């Protein structure tokens, strides 16, 4: 599995909570959220475009930082 | 040609917002959906009041759109 790093413009627990719920709905993904640094790490075989679109659903700016 | 528009207003319960940024992202995203005329989200009352065109949206579809963003939404009978 590849670990992807995304930068998501989260500002509070509500934002990270929303991201958590969105990712949980995907099912088979493992992820970690670092709120102070606005980073989200996702371990998944799904492609980056799909994951980016998913993260964008919460209405925040999303930037892909590459694999880790 | 006049277009017939069936406007309707609904109040939806929204759980999981904790700051102004959450409110803003909901207002922005839901506000740009087709058929949504106006949206007002209240952080204190944990709800969203939406004015929409019934031929494009329904209370259910709006609630789903909010849930899609990662917030809990309920079709609360507006007890305002």
């Amino acid at each position: 599995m590849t670990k992807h790093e995304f930068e998501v413009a989260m500002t509070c627990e509500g934002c990270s909570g929303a991201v958590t719920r969105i990712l949980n709905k995907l099912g088979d993904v493992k992820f970690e959220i670092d709120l102070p640094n606005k980073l989200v790490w996702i371990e998944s075989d799904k492609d980056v475009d799909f994951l980016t679109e998913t993260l964008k659903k919460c209405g925040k700016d999303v930037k892909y930082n590459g694999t880790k | 040609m006049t277009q017939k528009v069936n406007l309707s207003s609904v109040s939806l319960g929204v759980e999981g917002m904790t700051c102004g940024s959450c409110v803003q992202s909901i207002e922005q995203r839901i506000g740009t959906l087709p058929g949504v005329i106006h949206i007002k989200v209240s952080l204190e009352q944990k709800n969203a009041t939406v004015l929409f065109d019934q031929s494009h949206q329904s209370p259910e579809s709006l609630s789903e759109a909010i849930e899609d963003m990662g917030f809990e939404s309920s079709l609360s009978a507006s007890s305002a």
Side-chain angles (χ1 to χ4, degrees):
Chain A
M1 288 246 259
T2 339
K3 196 167 184 178
H4 302 286
E5 186 180 287
F6 292 91
E7 203 178 312
V8 184
M10 302 175 289
T11 52
C12 66
E13 290 86 51
C15 308
S16 66
V19 172
T20 304
R21 280 187 289 261
I22 289 176
L23 291 174
N24 275 335
K25 277 186 210 169
L26 284 183
D28 60 341
V29 287
K30 264 179 44 190
F31 61 93
E32 249 178 274
I33 297 180
D34 180 347
L35 183 55
N37 294 313
K38 304 185 197 305
L39 294 176
V40 180
W41 292 287
I42 305 176
E43 265 181 75
S44 170
D45 289 330
K46 294 189 168 60
D47 66 84
V48 173
D49 287 346
F50 175 81
L51 295 171
T52 309
E53 281 313 304
T54 307
L55 287 169
K56 276 188 181 162
K57 275 188 188 175
C58 67
K60 317 270 176 217
D61 287 332
V62 179
K63 207 178 105 204
Y64 182 53
N65 284 347
T67 51
K68 257 227 144 175
Chain B
M1 271 222 312
T2 47
Q3 244 188 326
K4 209 175 172 188
V5 185
N6 285 318
L7 286 185
S8 179
S9 175
V10 69
S11 178
L12 302 164
V14 183
E15 291 284 334
M17 303 183 293
T18 56
C19 70
S21 155
C22 304
V23 169
Q24 263 193 352
S25 45
I26 294 182
E27 284 189 340
Q28 267 168 23
R29 192 166 174 101
I30 305 299
T32 52
L33 291 176
V36 175
I37 315 292
H38 184 75
I39 176 163
K40 179 88 197 89
V41 177
S42 164
L43 186 57
E44 291 79 30
Q45 294 164 38
K46 292 185 167 59
N47 70 11
T49 311
V50 190
L51 183 65
F52 63 99
D53 179 354
Q54 279 179 314
S55 54
H56 285 92
Q57 297 288 345
S58 65
E60 288 78 19
S61 70
L62 292 167
S63 172
E64 248 171 61
I66 293 175
E67 295 214 346
D68 217 35
M69 295 184 61
F71 296 97
E72 311 274 326
S73 175
S74 53
L75 293 168
S76 62
S78 48
S79 50

